Amino acid sequence: MRPNRRRVGVAALSLGLTSGVIVLLKSPHPPTGATTLIFSLEVSRRIEGVAILMVVVGVLTLRAIAINRLTDQTGYGRPAPHPSGAAKHMGG
């Protein structure tokens, strides 16, 4: 499938707007750009494709949470330790 100018323009505009919102919210999240392109380029025109995409996003999110917990990194549901509190407990 060869992209036409309209589709390229829509993809550029949607990705630019998404990137702008990410910067304004100070919340970097690279997969957001990929999801934006999937929808703006109409990669999946059927509801089944969108449902599959949402399931995959959910599975990847759960996997990331599990990996963060197994590696004892700050993840979903746990606040980051306060730097000054950590130094006091370590005898610093």
Side-chain angles (χ1 to χ4, degrees):
M1 180 172 78
R2 191 173 157 184
N4 60 28
R5 289 182 184 187
R6 180 186 154 273
R7 289 181 70 147
V8 171
V10 168
L13 180 63
S14 62
L15 194 55
L17 290 172
T18 300
S19 299
V21 170
I22 288 172
V23 170
L24 287 175
L25 295 177
K26 296 179 182 172
S27 178
H29 185 67
T32 305
T35 306
T36 299
L37 286 175
I38 287 170
F39 283 100
S40 65
L41 292 174
E42 299 174 352
V43 172
S44 178
R45 295 180 185 198
R46 296 176 28 197
I47 193 68
E48 294 87 5
V50 175
I52 291 169
L53 176 66
M54 293 299 112
V55 168
V56 169
V57 167
V59 168
L60 289 175
T61 301
L62 292 174
R63 189 180 80 168
I65 292 169
I67 290 171
N68 282 341
R69 290 192 180 198
L70 288 173
T71 59
D72 200 30
Q73 295 182 20
T74 303
Y76 179 78
R78 279 194 278 171
H82 195 275
S84 62
K88 289 179 184 176
H89 294 296
M90 298 176 126

